[in-house]
Amino acid sequence: MTDANVTDDVLRRLYEEPPEGFVATRAAAIEQARAAGDRDTAKRLAACKKPTVAAWVVNLLARRRPDLIGELVTLSEALRSAQRDLHGDQLRELSLQRRQFVSALVADARKLAVAAGAGAGKLPLGEVEATLTAALADPEVAAQVRTGRLIRAAAYAGFGEVPRPRLRLITGGDEDPESDGPEGDADEGEELGAGPEAGRGPAAGHVTTPGLGTVPGMGHEAAQEARERAARERRRREVERKRRELERELSAAEAAERRADQQLERAETAERDAEGLVDDLEAELAELERRRAEAVAEVGRRKLARRGAERETAAARRRVGDVQAALEDLG
């Protein structure tokens, strides 16, 4: 029966091991489990994936400073609650705490990695920071970080400093007439012929409006309303155009992400298969080496037996010669 504590200790060492030593450490642990007849543990270890350097740094932090990861989870829950309830002041304060806390976590993680033998200049601290930030935003990522067995860095693109604004499309009839500002009033005065030169503008009862031309019988208020409607329609079309563009970009990004995940999964599967083949070949090589040693020992035993037989044959021949000589002497 597998000792769960022993297995957990092996996994702990495995994921605290720098990535360059992961495969060798895993192979040794698998061989030890097989030698002990523990096939379940050997299979479990064989399924363990090698972490990236960034994931290894986060694993070190999770295993050696679990108290800090606990604080990270607590802060993430507070952030999500504030964002959900739209508490702006609370959210801004917590966001500031988030930045400061993540920076402190990255610094601690860097110290742990350097103490474990990693070169400080080669550590992907940006990926470490992105993973910790993602853990603040996504409970699933936080749960993975707490296990100390990440295999790659994580990222979360949707985390914001403040809640996402509630957007609405402007379709006309509900827009604030003051939205065009003072400049709009000035333009209106010029276009409507206000001022000393007003008598030289269009005839009374005719108003010129941008995009509409000269409209007979349209008063100043109607012209202003027409301009506002036109402006709202332009804004609506622009919002719709941007929305469609962003949706296309999102679809393309999600498709690329799926392709990348599939490619990564295939690569990881191929790596596991190759490592499994190496393990099988090593096992076969060990068996062949054992059989070779037995064959060499058998050859040695056969040589000794042959030499003994040669000595007995020589003695028998001498005895035959002696007997023949004795018979000749009697004759």
Side-chain angles (χ1 to χ4, degrees):
M1 180 180 296
T2 300
D3 189 332
N5 292 330
V6 172
T7 304
D8 289 341
D9 288 342
V10 173
L11 291 174
R12 182 183 186 88
R13 292 197 304 272
L14 193 59
Y15 281 95
E16 287 183 358
E17 181 81 23
E20 59 268 21
F22 182 91
V23 174
T25 301
R26 181 182 58 188
I30 292 173
E31 182 62 27
Q32 185 176 1
R34 287 176 175 170
D38 192 348
R39 299 182 63 85
D40 291 339
T41 297
K43 289 180 180 179
R44 184 179 176 187
L45 293 172
C48 293
K49 300 177 182 178
K50 176 182 176 181
T52 63
V53 175
W56 168 68
V57 174
V58 176
N59 290 338
L60 274 183
L61 185 67
R63 291 188 172 277
R64 297 185 181 178
R65 294 299 307 274
D67 55 320
L68 294 180
I69 301 301
E71 292 180 21
L72 179 144
V73 172
T74 300
L75 179 59
S76 69
E77 293 171 351
L79 273 168
R80 286 193 295 274
S81 176
Q83 190 168 12
R84 196 164 47 242
D85 299 335
L86 298 176
H87 294 161
D89 293 339
Q90 182 185 7
L91 183 61
R92 281 189 290 273
E93 181 181 352
L94 289 172
S95 296
L96 177 60
Q97 292 180 22
R98 172 185 66 82
R99 289 191 296 270
Q100 295 172 344
F101 188 57
V102 168
S103 297
L105 287 179
V106 172
D108 285 343
R110 176 183 177 277
K111 292 178 182 178
L112 291 172
V114 172
K122 298 180 180 179
L123 293 174
L125 298 181
E127 295 181 34
V128 173
E129 181 177 0
T131 301
L132 295 173
T133 301
L136 282 168
D138 190 332
E140 293 184 2
V141 177
Q144 293 174 11
V145 167
R146 296 191 80 167
T147 66
R149 297 176 190 173
L150 282 181
I151 59 173
R152 60 176 179 268
Y156 184 77
F159 191 86
E161 294 293 322
V162 297
R164 296 181 181 179
R166 295 179 176 177
L167 300 178
R168 61 186 176 93
L169 293 179
I170 302 172
T171 58
D174 59 350
E175 181 71 6
D176 186 355
E178 296 179 1
S179 62
D180 286 336
E183 295 180 1
D185 294 337
D187 292 340
E188 177 187 349
E190 294 174 3
E191 292 170 0
L192 294 180
E197 303 297 324
R200 301 178 186 176
H206 293 71
V207 177
T208 302
T209 60
L212 295 178
T214 302
V215 182
M218 180 179 288
H220 294 174
E221 293 182 359
Q224 175 68 11
E225 183 179 353
R227 284 197 299 274
E228 291 174 355
R229 282 199 301 271
R232 287 196 294 269
E233 179 62 21
R234 286 194 298 273
R235 286 194 292 271
R236 185 190 67 78
R237 287 196 298 268
E238 180 64 17
V239 168
E240 284 294 325
R241 183 186 64 80
K242 289 183 178 179
R243 181 181 62 80
R244 288 192 296 271
E245 289 179 355
L246 291 174
E247 287 177 346
R248 286 194 296 270
E249 290 181 9
L250 177 61
S251 297
E254 289 175 341
E257 181 184 21
R258 288 192 296 271
R259 289 193 298 271
D261 286 340
Q262 292 170 357
Q263 183 177 1
L264 176 60
E265 184 176 355
R266 288 194 297 270
E268 290 173 344
T269 300
E271 180 187 11
R272 288 196 300 272
D273 292 344
E275 290 172 350
L277 178 60
V278 170
D279 293 339
D280 292 341
L281 291 174
E282 288 178 347
E284 292 179 8
L285 181 61
E287 176 64 17
L288 291 173
E289 185 64 27
R290 183 188 64 79
R291 292 171 58 185
R292 176 182 176 278
E294 291 180 352
V296 170
E298 182 65 19
V299 168
R301 288 192 294 270
R302 298 293 175 87
K303 284 183 178 180
L304 289 176
R306 177 182 59 78
R307 290 170 182 169
E310 287 176 348
R311 287 194 296 270
E312 291 178 1
T313 299
R317 286 176 178 171
R318 286 195 300 272
R319 178 62 179 165
V320 169
D322 292 341
V323 172
Q324 290 177 344
L327 288 172
E328 289 177 356
D329 292 339
L330 289 174

